[in-house]
Amino acid sequence: MIGRSQPLHGFTLIELVVTVAIVALLSTVAFPLAEVVVKRGKEQELRLALREIRTALDAYSQAVEEGRVSHSVELSAYPESLNVLVEGVPDASSPGRESRIHFLRRIPRDPLFPDSSRPDEETWGKRSYASSHDAPAEGDDVYDVYSLAPGTGLNGIPYSRW
């Protein structure tokens, strides 16, 4: 049976080139989308961290107003630093002031802050009660926090304005 040949197995060069071209085209679409997904995830972490710290600051202020945290009338109802929220303060309503009120378990880190060697508290900008919203400045207390990360979010607003 000389007229019959064995069937060939495998792919032709054209089929391989077309396949590689399709994979390359798909990867050029997938990589930018993956970058956006990663950035969106970090921005979500930033929103959650800001909400957690701001909720703790408000809880501290509420505790001062309720008389559970003693402070001077001349000072604002906000803590001197973020570490106070973690270390806790004596509960003025407990007998003997033996128990402490803790407002945070730990200070969340700004996920977009570029320097990973800095402590968590230093990744946030702090605004005192006496400073304006347009020009936040540190002072005797911590009224609000903002991101020190450079850049702009996917929503077009700089991270420092979140």
Side-chain angles (χ1 to χ4, degrees), residues 14-160:
I14 297 295
E15 290 171 330
L16 289 175
V17 169
V18 168
T19 304
V20 169
I22 291 172
V23 169
L25 179 66
L26 291 175
S27 67
T28 60
V29 172
F31 284 132
L33 289 177
E35 289 176 4
V36 169
V37 168
V38 169
K39 187 172 183 178
R40 184 173 288 133
K42 288 191 181 242
E43 287 183 1
Q44 181 65 24
E45 288 178 44
L46 175 61
R47 280 187 195 93
L48 292 173
L50 285 169
R51 184 176 299 135
E52 184 178 0
I53 294 173
R54 289 173 175 163
T55 300
L57 289 170
D58 291 340
Y60 182 94
S61 175
Q62 182 69 32
V64 167
E65 290 175 16
E66 293 172 353
R68 294 185 65 202
V69 174
S70 59
H71 80 290
S72 172
V73 178
E74 297 155 0
L75 300 175
S76 74
Y78 292 93
E80 302 85 42
S81 71
L82 293 178
N83 284 328
V84 170
L85 300 173
V86 176
E87 295 165 359
V89 292
D91 187 351
S93 66
S94 73
R97 294 186 179 186
E98 294 174 6
S99 65
R100 297 182 72 78
I101 304 171
H102 298 274
F103 300 94
L104 284 174
R105 289 191 176 122
R106 64 175 183 78
I107 299 170
R109 182 173 194 78
D110 182 346
L112 297 172
F113 192 76
D115 185 3
S116 62
S117 66
R118 303 263 303 268
D120 295 343
E121 183 178 13
E122 292 180 15
T123 63
W124 299 105
K126 294 149 198 89
R127 175 181 164 217
S128 74
Y129 186 75
S131 71
S132 70
H133 176 70
D134 295 335
E138 290 191 40
D140 296 334
D141 59 8
V142 180
Y143 172 69
D144 194 14
V145 293
Y146 57 92
S147 178
L148 294 174
T152 303
L154 293 172
N155 59 3
I157 300 172
Y159 294 125
S160 61

